[in-house]
């Protein structure tokens, strides 16, 4: 992905163009105009008198609009600056482009302005996996509109292009013949609308989004209201303030409004490939952002609850009670060539759903939602015992039943080589990764609190607490690698330890499943030289067979991972260690202008001095965006206690002071302050 | 032998309260077409209490498809979202009801299996 790409988006509608605003995509190239996981423009090229344009500058005004300042001519030292071309573009359900041309010459000019347009209607999986199209593309001109369309049996998609100024339209684009006097300006507004043609030729409205052409001004007001509503951060470090603000703006951009949520939003997973509802990503991001934007958690819970699995279906890896992994809307889903309608193959979203529900109530006091989702939460708890214990050993494990298009690794480290033994061998299936057991433990204890306090079911609460205690006892014995003093990454199909040292042990602290007397050893590993890079905790420790500092899940540092590890360290009372990790990740953020990438290299901080971005990382990504927020919570030691908010700050020396004002919760709004710990003598 | 669609509605007739629909209120009408004819099922939900009739009255939500397609959706050979995206099923009105209703469909292993695996503690029945 090149650096000069310009991306703007609104929900799952987005445009990725080059620095001139042009799109020239091949089937496998991830640029274009996308909506509902489908490309609606693969070519969008502007020429003036047959010449391509040259970018002078690009204003990334907001995440939903950009402005390109261009002049004719490319590839020469001198550009003909007698013409200015300005493309101002914004995206909502479709996209709009104000195209303006200004003549700076002393003489009048006659210009031919051309926009070349074409579309391959590739689905997002087709772009990713280079799957050839099975249908047919058409183009037709009618009523001053150019309609590009794609048809496969009853499946039909259209892109309708029109302009406000008179144009000659043909099947490959629009041509404007323009005469400009000196200093005269010509402008037109281009409109590109994607259409999902449904039952009997009607357009399918998948999303209620108010005015499809909501103006840039309305959009701006929406983002400003979002920022006003979030707690204000005051801090001795401008870098941290910038990171905080960047995170809030990116979170606004990552909001996804499903069709059935009455306009409420939940966090999508990331741009460009993951602008959709994901069980794991939406839940973990909601957990990170609870003290700041609790409405994201409420929508996540409701929407995931509404779509909870209800039956055993191998194609979608669905079970009763299971929380979904991913929903998609592209052609391969329509024809059931991919199972994302939704797909359920994730082993962690279900226990995490219960964890989020409990944490949400502790912060907001919204008992109604806990009662509303009682059925779903009970079904999720039951899934852990009835469906997730594939090996019959009392642990959650995973193995896909859809062997063709299902996911092999159903934990957050989902690449093929992420789970390995110390010597580098890869285990078979099923696999019971350790963090899943922590999530299950936490879900049972939190479920017990909900059952006792809100569902009037002390019997269930007692049972869940007994089960949790038993799980903790067995786990601390079965997963403990005694000679290394850490927890194994997983148990394999024979119940043997998959004995690599990994960042997953940090999640165990967050879940509380670690015996107190083992915590010291676990923390020593997390902050020790094999796992801690100086910026954060490596996904896999140096010295492991598959360790690679730029391996996706086998050595890189993931900011989101570190944020939960820091939370876990706080939970066990390791406040300075949590602050160290917070400082490292926030320092790294400054190298990315406040926008943390999905992952960066696991190289020693001392060696590279800057964090090396992982090559194909997706950005902004929701749980990376949420990481600074969770780290701020962690540094301030924010914890709901009955009806008030407890504050127990441990702020790293790099941040002189930290004040978070107007934190929303069951207490209304409140403030929290923290000063940096005094640097130790010497 | 009854069709999966009939089995689905027969089952709903016998259940008066469905906890999964606790949050739902409204009516959903199924217009299922067989050639030139169409059959109508009206499902009324009030805080989880359900009743089924064959009335052709107005509803909060409409679901329209070939009967044969709905049979396949009922047994998990096809899905509401896939059919919607393919343009062979129409859903209008309060779509949250459609999302919830899909969870009541029998699926590949039929209703018996679903009964056996209803929610923990407070049962599905």
């Amino acid at each position: 992905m090149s650096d000069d790409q310009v991306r703007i988006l609104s929900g799952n509608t987005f445009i990725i163009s080059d620095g001139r605003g042009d799109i020239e995509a091949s089937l496998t190239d991830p640029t274009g105009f996308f909506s509902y996981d489908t490309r609606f423009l693969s070519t969008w090229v502007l020429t003036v008198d047959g010449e391509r344009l040259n970018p002078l500058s690009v204003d990334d005004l907001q995440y939903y609009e950009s402005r390109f300042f261009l002049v004719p001519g490319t590839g020469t030292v001198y550009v003909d600056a007698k013409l200015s071309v300005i493309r101002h573009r914004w995206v909502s359900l479709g996209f709009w482009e104000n195209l303006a041309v200004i003549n700076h010459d002393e003489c009048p000019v006659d210009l031919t302005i051309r926009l070349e347009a074409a579309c391959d209607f590739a689905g997002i999986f087709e772009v990713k996996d280079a799957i050839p199209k099975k249908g047919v593309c058409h183009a037709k001109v009618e009523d001053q509109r150019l309609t590009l369309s794609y048809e496969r049996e009853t499946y039909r998609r259209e892109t309708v292009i029109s302009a406000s100024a008179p144009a000659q339209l043909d099947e490959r684009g629009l041509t404007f013949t323009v005469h400009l006097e000196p200093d005269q300006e010509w402008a037109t507004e281009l409109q590109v609308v994607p259409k999902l043609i449904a039952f009997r030729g009607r357009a399918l409205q998948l999303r209620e989004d108010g005015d499809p052409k909501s103006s840039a001004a309305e959009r701006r007001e929406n983002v400003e209201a979002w920022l006003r509503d979030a707690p204000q951060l005051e801090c001795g470090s401008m870098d941290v303030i910038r990171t905080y603000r960047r995170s809030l703006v990116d979170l606004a951009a990552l909001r996804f409004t499903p069709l059935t949520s009455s306009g409420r939003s939940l966090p999508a997973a990331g741009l460009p490939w993951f602008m959709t509802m994901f069980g794991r990503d939406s839940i973990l991001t909601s957990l990170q952002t609870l003290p700041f934007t609790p409405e994201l958690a409420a929508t996540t819970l409701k929407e995931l609850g509404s779509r909870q699995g209800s039956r055993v279906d191998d194609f979608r890896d669905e079970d009763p009670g299971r929380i979904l992994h991913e929903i998609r809307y592209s052609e391969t889903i329509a024809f059931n060539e991919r199972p994302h309608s939704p797909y359920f193959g994730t082993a962690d979203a279900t226990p995490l759903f219960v964890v989020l529900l409990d944490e949400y109530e502790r912060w907001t006091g919204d008992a109604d939602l806990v009662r509303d989702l009682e059925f779903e939460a009970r079904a999720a708890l039951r899934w852990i015992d009835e469906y997730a214990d594939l090996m019959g050993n009392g642990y959650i494990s995973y193995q896909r039943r859809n062997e063709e298009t299902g996911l092999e690794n159903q934990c957050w480290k989902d690449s093929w080589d992420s789970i390995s033994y110390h010597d580098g061998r890869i285990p078979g299936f099923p696999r019971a990764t350790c963090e899943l057991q922590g999530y299950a433990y936490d879900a049972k204890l939190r479920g017990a609190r909900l059952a006792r306090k809100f569902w009037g079911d002390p019997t269930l609460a007692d049972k869940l607490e007994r089960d949790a205690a038993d799980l903790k006892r067995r786990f601390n014995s079965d997963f403990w690698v005694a000679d290394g003093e850490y927890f194994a990454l997983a148990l394999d199909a024979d119940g043997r330890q998959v004995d690599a040292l990994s960042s997953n042990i940090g999640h165990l602290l967050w879940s509380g499943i670690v015996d107190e007397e083992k915590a010291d050893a676990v923390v020593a590993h997390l902050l020790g030289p094999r796992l801690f890079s100086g910026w954060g905790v490596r996904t896999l420790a140096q010295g492991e067979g598959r360790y690679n500092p730029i391996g996706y899940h086998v050595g890189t540092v993931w900011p989101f991972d570190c944020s939960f590890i820091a939370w876990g360290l706080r939970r066990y009372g390791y406040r300075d260690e949590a602050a160290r990790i917070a400082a490292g990740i926030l320092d790294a953020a400054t190298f990315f202008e406040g926008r943390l990438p999905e992952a960066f290299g696991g190289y020693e901080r001392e060696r590279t001095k800057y964090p090396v971005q992982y090559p194909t990382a997706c950005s902004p990504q929701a749980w990376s965006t949420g990481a600074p927020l969770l780290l701020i919570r962690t540094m301030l030691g924010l914890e709901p206690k009955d009806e008030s908010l407890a504050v127990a700050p441990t702020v790293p020396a790099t941040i002189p002071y930290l004040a978070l004002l107007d934190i929303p919760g069951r207490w209304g709004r409140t403030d929290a302050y923290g000063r940096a710990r005094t640097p130790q003598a010497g | 032998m009854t069709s999966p669609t009939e089995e689905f509605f027969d089952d709903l007739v016998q259940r008066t309260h469905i906890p999964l629909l606790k949050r739902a209120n409204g009516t959903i009408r199924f217009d299922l077409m067989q050639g030139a004819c169409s059959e109508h099922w009206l499902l009324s939900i009030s805080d989880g209490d359900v009743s089924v009739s064959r009335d052709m009255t107005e509803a909060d939500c409409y679901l329209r498809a070939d009967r044969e397609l709905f049979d396949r959706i009922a047994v998990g050979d096809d899905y509401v979202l896939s059919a919607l995206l393919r343009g062979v099923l129409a859903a209008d009105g309060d779509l949250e009801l459609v999302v919830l209703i899909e969870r009541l469909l029998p699926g590949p292993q039929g209703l018996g299996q679903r009964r056996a695996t209803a929610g923990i503690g407070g049962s599905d029945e």
Side-chain angles (χ1 to χ4, degrees):
Chain A
M1 229 175 263
S2 65
D3 281 343
D4 68 347
Q5 280 186 355
V6 180
R7 308 157 157 194
I8 54 171
L9 83 155
S10 168
N12 67 0
T13 302
F14 59 91
I15 309 169
I16 305 177
S17 70
D18 65 21
R20 297 173 284 201
D22 286 346
I23 297 166
E24 292 171 282
S26 63
L27 176 64
T28 55
D29 180 44
T31 63
F33 168 48
F34 289 86
S35 189
Y36 285 97
D37 310 321
T38 304
R39 181 150 57 200
F40 281 88
L41 267 185
S42 48
T43 301
W44 187 247
V45 173
L46 176 65
T47 53
V48 175
D49 287 341
E51 262 191 304
R52 296 292 288 271
L53 299 159
N54 198 32
L56 294 180
S57 73
V58 182
D59 269 359
D60 268 326
L61 301 166
Q62 300 283 353
Y63 61 81
Y64 48 80
E65 69 175 323
S66 56
R67 196 177 274 143
F68 304 83
F69 297 89
L70 312 165
V71 289
T74 54
T76 55
V77 179
Y78 301 103
V79 289
D80 176 5
K82 288 175 180 163
L83 276 184
S84 292
V85 178
I86 302 170
R87 305 171 91 171
H88 177 202
R89 175 185 290 173
W90 68 97
V91 62
S92 131
L93 284 183
F95 84 86
W96 280 260
E97 186 163 314
N98 261 317
L99 175 60
V101 180
I102 306 159
N103 179 17
H104 302 299
D105 206 345
E106 292 154 1
C107 317
V109 286
D110 287 291
L111 302 171
T112 302
I113 299 168
R114 170 86 181 162
L115 264 160
E116 202 76 21
C119 188
D120 61 2
F121 292 93
I124 210 134
F125 289 110
E126 290 144 17
V127 177
K128 267 168 108 172
D129 304 337
I131 306 170
K133 298 300 289 183
K134 292 183 176 164
V136 184
C137 292
H138 300 281
K140 75 166 184 218
V141 175
E142 209 174 61
D143 304 330
Q144 280 301 296
R145 286 194 310 245
L146 167 60
T147 302
L148 308 171
S149 64
Y150 174 82
E151 224 165 358
R152 174 178 165 194
E153 299 169 29
T154 51
Y155 176 93
R156 202 160 140 217
R157 298 293 177 264
E158 284 181 3
T159 306
V160 183
I161 304 165
S162 58
S164 62
Q168 295 111 272
L169 278 71
D170 59 75
E171 291 174 358
R172 297 182 55 189
L174 300 82
T175 305
F176 303 91
T177 310
V178 175
H179 175 83
L180 281 180
E181 292 296 325
D183 291 328
Q184 197 189 349
E185 173 176 340
W186 169 89
T188 185
E189 183 175 285
L190 296 147
Q191 183 178 332
V192 181
V193 179
K195 282 196 170 158
L196 285 68
I197 305 299
F199 200 66
R200 292 183 182 162
R202 291 183 310 167
L204 180 65
Q205 181 87 25
L206 277 171
R207 183 163 54 138
E208 294 169 38
D209 201 25
D211 179 6
K213 185 197 165 181
S214 64
S215 71
E218 286 167 47
R219 299 251 139 192
R220 204 166 296 135
E221 171 50 30
N222 174 292
V223 175
E224 274 163 18
W226 167 262
L227 292 173
R228 272 197 308 275
D229 222 36
Q232 304 302 307
L233 182 74
E234 289 177 6
C235 170
S237 156
M238 283 312 294
D239 287 335
V240 173
I241 287 179
R242 184 174 62 162
T243 298
Y244 179 63
R245 197 180 159 81
R246 178 81 257 164
S247 293
L248 288 177
V249 172
D250 283 349
L251 262 185
L254 286 159
R255 285 176 297 172
F256 174 69
T257 310
L259 182 61
T260 56
S261 64
S262 312
R264 291 182 305 265
S265 304
L266 55 81
L271 181 75
W273 299 115
F274 305 112
M275 282 310 296
T276 190
M277 194 192 303
F278 271 84
R280 176 188 308 131
D281 299 64
S282 298
I283 291 173
L284 290 174
T285 306
S286 294
L287 280 164
Q288 292 171 315
T289 57
L290 245 181
F292 304 86
T293 55
E295 64 272 26
L296 291 178
T299 310
T300 297
L301 288 162
K302 284 178 203 161
E303 293 304 311
L304 292 175
S306 289
R307 292 170 176 77
Q308 186 174 41
S310 62
R311 56 202 194 179
V312 174
D313 179 340
D314 293 347
F315 177 61
R316 304 203 292 187
D317 277 320
E318 177 179 355
D319 310 304
R322 196 167 194 176
I323 295 298
L324 70 86
H325 177 60
E326 181 180 359
I327 294 187
R328 292 289 189 179
Y329 301 98
S330 58
E331 179 182 339
T332 49
I333 314 313
F335 288 93
N336 295 316
E337 292 159 353
R338 287 282 193 281
H340 303 74
S341 60
Y343 178 60
F344 289 89
T346 168
D348 51 17
T350 308
L352 288 173
F353 175 80
V354 180
V355 170
L356 176 62
L357 182 62
D358 176 69
E359 187 72 9
Y360 170 77
E361 194 285 327
R362 292 177 65 242
W363 277 88
T364 63
D366 182 358
D368 288 345
L369 190 63
V370 175
R371 294 193 188 96
D372 281 348
L373 291 175
E374 177 182 344
F375 175 86
E376 285 79 6
R378 284 172 180 269
L381 287 162
R382 179 159 174 157
W383 178 83
I384 295 171
D385 295 333
E386 304 264 314
Y387 292 94
D389 182 6
L390 302 182
M391 299 193 272
N393 58 1
Y395 295 118
I396 293 184
S397 56
Y398 58 79
Q399 177 168 28
R400 64 180 176 177
R401 306 198 297 273
N402 175 348
E403 292 194 352
E404 224 171 292
T405 50
L407 276 179
E408 278 207 323
N409 270 322
Q410 302 188 354
C411 56
W412 84 262
K413 292 182 178 175
D414 56 1
S415 54
W416 71 275
D417 62 345
S418 62
I419 309 300
S420 61
Y421 298 93
H422 170 67
D423 61 11
R425 283 177 302 124
I426 305 247
F429 294 96
R431 294 174 184 171
T433 54
C434 65
E435 83 286 359
L436 297 173
Q437 321 316 322
Y439 302 159
Y441 170 78
D442 199 17
K444 283 172 191 285
L445 283 187
R446 290 172 180 267
R449 188 185 83 91
L450 299 178
R452 192 168 281 128
K453 198 164 174 190
F454 301 101
W455 307 336
D457 193 346
T459 314
L460 174 63
D462 291 346
K463 179 188 180 301
L464 287 168
E465 281 167 353
R466 279 197 310 275
D467 290 355
D470 177 57
L471 172 59
K472 183 172 182 175
R473 186 187 49 74
R474 289 185 289 111
F475 178 83
N476 276 275
S477 152
D478 295 347
F479 280 74
W480 187 245
V481 180
D483 54 358
E485 297 210 296
Y486 60 88
F487 290 95
L489 176 52
L491 294 187
D492 66 16
D494 302 318
R496 281 187 311 242
Q497 293 179 346
V498 180
D499 56 351
L501 174 61
S502 67
S503 66
N504 300 46
I505 61 174
H507 286 236
L508 299 174
L509 294 175
W510 169 54
S511 300
I513 198 173
V514 175
D515 278 343
E516 288 287 342
E517 65 268 21
K518 293 190 167 75
D520 268 347
V522 168
V523 174
H525 280 297
L526 287 169
L527 277 299
R530 292 183 59 202
L531 276 175
F532 192 63
S533 75
W535 301 108
V537 179
R538 299 181 180 101
T539 40
L540 190 66
Q542 279 183 345
E544 294 302 325
R546 287 196 174 264
Y547 172 75
N548 171 0
I550 46 165
Y552 198 49
H553 294 121
V554 291
T556 53
V557 172
W558 286 57
F560 112 84
D561 191 24
C562 294
S563 71
F564 281 90
I565 293 169
W567 191 0
L569 289 164
R570 279 298 307 226
R571 179 171 180 161
Y572 275 78
Y574 296 88
R575 296 167 61 154
D576 290 337
E577 289 79 358
R580 254 182 92 192
I581 287 177
I585 295 296
L586 290 171
D587 284 352
T590 64
F591 289 86
F592 303 109
E593 293 173 345
R595 177 182 283 167
L596 283 162
E598 179 181 41
F600 50 84
Y603 301 108
E604 286 297 332
R605 181 172 180 169
E606 279 307 307
R607 185 168 191 182
T608 59
K609 305 291 183 195
Y610 62 93
V612 178
Q613 186 165 353
Y614 181 78
T616 67
C618 137
S619 182
Q621 202 195 37
W623 63 18
S624 292
T625 303
L629 305 191
L630 178 51
L631 292 172
I632 289 169
R633 171 187 174 171
T634 303
M635 290 186 291
L636 287 170
L638 304 181
E639 208 56 57
K641 279 259 156 56
D642 303 321
E643 294 305 310
S644 61
L645 181 67
V647 182
T650 300
V651 179
T654 47
I655 302 172
Y657 68 93
L658 201 57
L660 194 63
L661 310 176
D662 289 332
I663 306 164
R666 59 196 310 152
W667 42 82
R669 296 261 181 177
T670 191
D671 304 337
Y673 303 89
R675 290 209 163 274
R677 62 208 159 118
T678 320
Q680 281 158 11
Chain B
M1 195 182 146
T2 56
S3 71
T5 302
E6 283 160 358
E7 189 195 2
F8 168 62
F9 285 111
D10 285 349
D11 179 63
L12 288 182
V13 170
Q14 285 168 34
R15 302 160 71 177
T16 51
H17 184 79
I18 301 176
L20 189 151
L21 299 176
K22 194 175 111 181
R23 281 182 290 148
N25 281 292
T27 50
I28 175 167
R29 201 179 80 198
F30 299 77
D31 297 337
L32 305 179
M33 297 162 296
Q34 267 182 306
C37 310
S38 63
E39 56 183 56
H40 308 283
W41 302 84
L42 184 76
L43 178 61
S44 306
I45 309 161
S46 170
D47 296 328
D49 294 337
V50 291
S51 60
V52 177
S53 75
R54 305 299 298 267
D55 297 342
M56 175 71 183
T57 54
E58 286 195 6
D60 300 311
C61 174
Y62 301 90
L63 212 143
R64 204 161 307 155
D66 280 345
R67 161 73 181 268
E68 183 266 334
L69 171 70
F70 196 76
D71 278 343
R72 286 196 293 117
I73 290 174
V75 298
D77 283 344
D78 209 331
Y79 303 97
V80 170
L81 181 61
S82 310
L84 198 67
L85 293 169
R86 278 206 316 284
V88 290
L89 176 144
D92 296 294
D94 182 354
L95 297 187
E96 184 156 10
L97 288 174
V98 178
V99 172
L100 291 175
I101 293 304
E102 192 175 16
R103 286 163 66 201
L104 297 176
L105 296 171
Q109 300 188 2
L111 282 166
Q113 176 271 336
R114 276 175 39 77
R115 288 269 176 63
T117 57
I120 187 171
S123 82
D124 190 33
E125 296 304 302

